[in-house]
């Protein structure tokens, strides 16, 4: 049953508001897609670590950093918050979050932190690749 206020708005040519249930389910879907991509990226990194156990060129260390970053609670919370507030895709939230973090890190004078910016970009690309696989 449409309320009188809603029917007056429709009569004026306004579109009915989207159901908040539909919006919430879309947000939940995007969050779940992100979490699945995050798990897939972690599994991929773990597999690469196992293959590179005898690596002497530092690849194992880089993969350990990637694994830590992909599981970062602050990164995950930033992506989830961006999805919630902006009703966007998981891809858009990952891209935004990565760009925000990278833009802060590259301004630092510390070489170690600037190198983390490169790692964040790589993690973002890995997550985006997994998200594109699950795009429906």
């Amino acid at each position: 049953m449409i309320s009188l206020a809603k029917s007056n708005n429709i009569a004026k040519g306004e579109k009915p508001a989207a159901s908040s249930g539909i919006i919430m389910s879309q947000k939940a879907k995007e969050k779940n897609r992100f979490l699945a991509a995050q798990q897939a990226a972690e599994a991929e990194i773990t597999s690469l670590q196992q293959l590179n156990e005898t690596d002497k060129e530092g690849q194992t260390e880089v993969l350990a950093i990637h694994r830590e970053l992909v599981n970062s609670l602050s990164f995950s919370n930033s992506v989830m918050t961006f999805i919630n507030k902006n009703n966007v895709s998981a891809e858009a939230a990952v891209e935004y979050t990565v760009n925000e973090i990278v833009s802060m890190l590259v301004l630092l004078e510390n070489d170690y932190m600037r190198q983390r910016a490169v790692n964040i970009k790589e993690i973002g690309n890995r997550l985006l690749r997994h998200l594109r696989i699950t795009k429906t």
Side-chain angles (χ1 to χ4, degrees), residues 37-50 67 70:
Q38 191 178 35
Q39 289 175 343
E42 180 185 9
E44 181 180 40
I45 293 166
T46 300
S47 294
L48 290 171
Q49 283 178 305
Q50 291 169 350
R67 187 170 181 198
V70 82

Side-chain angles (χ1 to χ4, degrees), residues 68-105:
E68 183 180 323
L69 292 172
V70 82
N71 288 314
S72 165
L73 187 59
S74 62
F75 181 82
S76 296
N77 286 343
S78 294
V79 171
M80 297 293 199
T81 300
F82 197 76
I83 291 170
N84 266 340
K85 288 184 176 180
N86 299 289
N87 195 31
V88 296
S89 69
E91 291 89 344
V94 167
E95 288 177 359
Y96 175 83
T97 302
V98 166
N99 289 336
E100 286 293 302
I101 295 169
V102 167
S103 67
M104 288 185 284
L105 292 175

Side-chain angles (χ1 to χ4, degrees), residues 36-52 59 63 66-67 70 122-123 125-131 133:
Q38 191 178 35
Q39 289 175 343
E42 180 185 9
E44 181 180 40
I45 293 166
T46 300
S47 294
L48 290 171
Q49 283 178 305
Q50 291 169 350
L51 291 172
N52 289 312
Q59 186 66 21
L63 289 170
H66 282 205
R67 187 170 181 198
V70 82
E122 291 169 355
I123 289 301
N125 289 333
R126 188 179 301 271
L127 288 167
L128 290 171
R129 186 169 27 84
H130 286 288
L131 284 166
I133 291 169

Side-chain angles (χ1 to χ4, degrees), residues 7-72:
S7 63
N8 284 340
N9 289 343
I10 293 170
K12 293 178 187 175
E14 296 177 16
K15 293 181 181 178
S19 166
S20 62
I22 293 171
I23 292 171
M24 291 306 290
S25 67
Q26 185 62 33
K27 288 179 183 180
K29 179 181 174 186
E30 292 304 317
K31 289 180 192 178
N32 287 334
R33 287 183 63 238
F34 168 70
L35 292 173
Q38 191 178 35
Q39 289 175 343
E42 180 185 9
E44 181 180 40
I45 293 166
T46 300
S47 294
L48 290 171
Q49 283 178 305
Q50 291 169 350
L51 291 172
N52 289 312
E53 283 181 353
T54 59
D55 177 31
K56 294 186 170 64
E57 295 179 19
Q59 186 66 21
T60 303
E61 182 182 336
V62 170
L63 289 170
I65 292 168
H66 282 205
R67 187 170 181 198
E68 183 180 323
L69 292 172
V70 82
N71 288 314
S72 165

